[in-house]
Amino acid sequence: MISYPALPIEELASELAEQQERYDAYKHLGLKLNMARGKPSPEQLDLSLPMLNAVPADGSQDMLHAGAADDLRNYGTPEGLPEMRAVLGAVMGVPAANVLAGGNSSLTWMHNLVSLAMTHGVLGSTPWAKLDEPPVFLCPVPGYDRHFAITEHFGITMVPVPLKEDGPDMDVVEQQVQSNAQVKGIWCVPRFSNPTGCVYSDEIVERFAALAPAAEDFRIYWDNAYVVHGLAADDASTKLRNIKEACEAAAHPNLWYQFTSTSKITFAGGGVAAFASSEENLASIKAAMGVQSIGPDKINQLRHVQFLPNLEAVNAHMTQQAALLEPKFAMVLRVLSEELGSAGIGAWTQPRGGYFITYTGAPNTARRIVGLAAKAGVVLTPAGAPFPYGNDPLDNVIRIAPSYPSVDELETATRIFAVCARIAELENRMEK
Ligand code: PLP
């Protein structure tokens, strides 16, 4: 196998012609493959089908069961079913009392909390929309495009912070948060980050908890979307320090907002989302959310708690999900290593959980790779998406989502990706 860095200039053109030939051959297959969004596969979704029968049609007893103050078929219990709060609390590592179990989307919680802060402030602070200057959010990069879409939507200035293997660069975070009262929040995906798959270390979580923000209304937006999404069972190396406990130990009990949902546990878009925080934060947020809705869909929550009554049941279910996902990650990593590792091209993360792999190539190659792949029938997440304003300053990061295609499709899609990466790399070197 040819190592590209060692390739003499005069051989670049013939190597490019060879890769172009491979590319054209793939193009003629007329494939339609998608590695763009982190969607569960049909097989993963099948695992949750029994949930639909978890509440029998003659189950009116279930509708009046112990935890519920009211008949679940009726209005009431705005903070969500107590059992649901307990299960999602256990998932996030917080007591049920600190959890609100809501509708189908954690992203909606995030959007609504930012919206609420814009119009009403946080625990009595000046509404962000009334500040002289726009508020600022720190955005660890590469990160989740839909987080950035929320803050962009509200005109919040986004400041990128490098995401390292053990979490965000805390020197930058501390400097920004502690010196600038405009900084109101930071987006975090602390376990199996989207898209690098990194897990924040205990030290990083403790530095978060110890932050002394210049702004009284600064909050850490701790999006634990992949908290139970390890690819290997009992993986001690990916344990996450509990943010609630860390903040309480640092005497900053109100600093954290935590989110999760069952979108990647049961049904994507048909699950249950939860928000957790301190009693004081929750009381104020609950009052505001009560204006928006009389209460959540408790019937779906009942289905969920019948199907997944406790953390053990969630973990057992996630072991089945992992068995479907792990071979897919393994295939992508194997092909990347075979095709690109030996040629000395690019670098990629090797996540131990979550939904994504991040590829980093030479500067000015990401857009080209995504464009080439699209023409050969492989849809990738748009280049730039993991950065605020879609702006990847080096144009070299691509998010790969292996969950949806079959293992065979992934092999083909990753080989096509690799050929595109080779072409982009060669073109880049020839331009120099
Ligand atoms: N947060 C992260 C980090 C995600 O990757 C996703 C989905 O991909 C979501 C939130 C969406 O969650 P929900 O379906 O609960 O809105």
Side-chain angles (χ1 to χ4, degrees):
M1 186 64 76
I2 300 167
S3 162
Y4 280 23
L7 205 61
I9 303 285
E10 56 279 11
E11 289 178 26
L12 292 176
S14 67
E15 176 63 18
L16 179 59
E18 200 169 302
Q19 294 306 323
Q20 192 70 49
E21 212 171 292
R22 282 181 75 196
Y23 176 76
D24 291 340
Y26 280 127
K27 220 165 135 183
H28 281 118
L29 295 177
L31 297 168
K32 268 189 154 181
L33 301 168
N34 193 315
M35 295 201 290
R37 294 234 69 100
K39 295 203 300 189
S41 66
E43 296 73 28
Q44 285 176 268
L45 299 171
D46 285 347
L47 294 173
S48 298
L49 278 178
M51 185 174 76
L52 298 180
N53 295 323
V55 182
D58 62 353
S60 58
Q61 282 314 310
D62 291 316
M63 303 298 170
L64 295 162
H65 71 117
D70 308 293
D71 185 331
L72 299 188
R73 294 168 295 184
N74 224 320
Y75 284 135
T77 325
E79 48 293 294
L81 212 58
E83 291 87 340
M84 191 79 250
R85 296 167 72 197
V87 174
L88 291 178
V91 162
M92 290 186 281
V94 303
N98 291 92
V99 179
L100 302 178
N104 69 326
S105 163
S106 59
L107 213 56
T108 303
W109 274 110
M110 296 175 226
H111 172 282
N112 286 349
L113 287 171
V114 171
S115 176
L116 185 62
M118 290 296 293
T119 53
H120 290 73
V122 175
L123 291 184
S125 74
T126 304
W128 297 352
K130 293 201 172 147
L131 296 170
D132 293 336
E133 299 284 325
V136 173
F137 258 58
L138 304 182
C139 300
V141 290
Y144 179 38
D145 54 353
R146 292 186 191 274
H147 285 161
F148 304 154
I150 291 175
T151 25
E152 184 170 4
H153 181 66
F154 286 101
I156 294 171
T157 303
M158 292 183 278
V159 173
V161 174
L163 182 67
K164 302 181 180 176
E165 274 180 28
D166 59 349
D169 184 331
M170 290 308 290
D171 292 341
V172 178
V173 172
E174 285 162 355
Q175 195 277 327
Q176 289 275 340
V177 172
Q178 297 181 166
S179 69
N180 182 357
Q182 291 299 116
V183 177
K184 304 296 187 189
I186 179 166
W187 291 119
C188 294
V189 185
R191 191 161 196 248
F192 309 128
S193 175
N194 176 352
T196 72
C198 80
V199 179
Y200 291 13
S201 69
D202 290 4
E203 189 207 327
I204 297 280
V205 177
E206 266 150 33
R207 284 176 75 176
F208 264 111
L211 284 172
E216 59 181 333
D217 48 0
F218 170 88
R219 295 290 181 273
I220 302 162
Y221 289 67
W222 203 249
D223 178 1
N224 236 331
Y226 300 107
V227 58
V228 287
H229 297 64
L231 290 171
D234 298 327
D235 192 344
S237 69
T238 62
K239 278 228 157 29
L240 178 70
R241 173 96 169 90
N242 186 306
I243 187 69
K244 172 180 186 285
E245 289 168 10
C247 285
E248 285 170 357
H252 296 144
N254 287 339
L255 203 52
W256 59 287
Y257 285 170
Q258 187 169 192
F259 309 87
T260 198
S261 80
T262 68
S263 282
K264 306 281 170 61
I265 297 175
T266 56
F267 297 132
V272 177
F275 169 67
S277 195
S278 66
E279 283 80 2
E280 199 181 358
N281 285 338
L282 276 195
S284 124
I285 288 161
K286 221 169 80 176
M289 294 304 163
V291 178
Q292 191 178 69
S293 166
I294 306 176
D297 176 354
K298 297 190 297 294
I299 303 296
N300 196 32
Q301 295 191 1
L302 177 62
R303 262 183 228 123
H304 275 77
V305 295
Q306 303 272 45
F307 184 56
L308 300 172
N310 49 42
L311 185 59
E312 289 68 41
V314 172
N315 285 334
H317 183 72
M318 294 315 288
T319 302
Q320 292 181 275
Q321 301 262 9
L324 294 169
L325 282 167
E326 196 281 330
K328 298 188 176 186
F329 276 76
M331 174 57 84
V332 173
L333 294 172
R334 178 166 78 74
V335 176
L336 287 175
S337 163
E338 272 173 25
E339 290 270 352
L340 299 181
S342 52
I345 299 170
W348 47 91
T349 57
Q350 313 233 357
R352 301 177 73 90
Y355 264 61
F356 304 101
I357 294 167
T358 294
Y359 172 83
T360 307
N364 305 314
T365 53
R367 265 174 233 283
R368 179 70 176 141
I369 295 171
V370 171
L372 282 167
K375 286 195 192 127
V378 176
V379 181
L380 295 164
T381 312
F387 291 80
Y389 313 106
N391 176 26
D392 174 359
L394 293 178
D395 182 30
N396 70 339
V397 173
I398 297 175
R399 182 180 87 164
I400 298 174
S403 59
Y404 193 81
S406 69
V407 175
D408 287 348
E409 287 172 334
L410 278 171
E411 173 164 15
T412 311
T414 312
R415 290 207 191 277
I416 293 172
F417 174 89
V419 171
C420 298
R422 281 167 177 262
I423 291 174
E425 177 88 15
L426 288 162
E427 287 174 346
N428 215 29
R429 288 196 56 200
M430 289 169 75
E431 273 169 23
K432 284 185 183 149

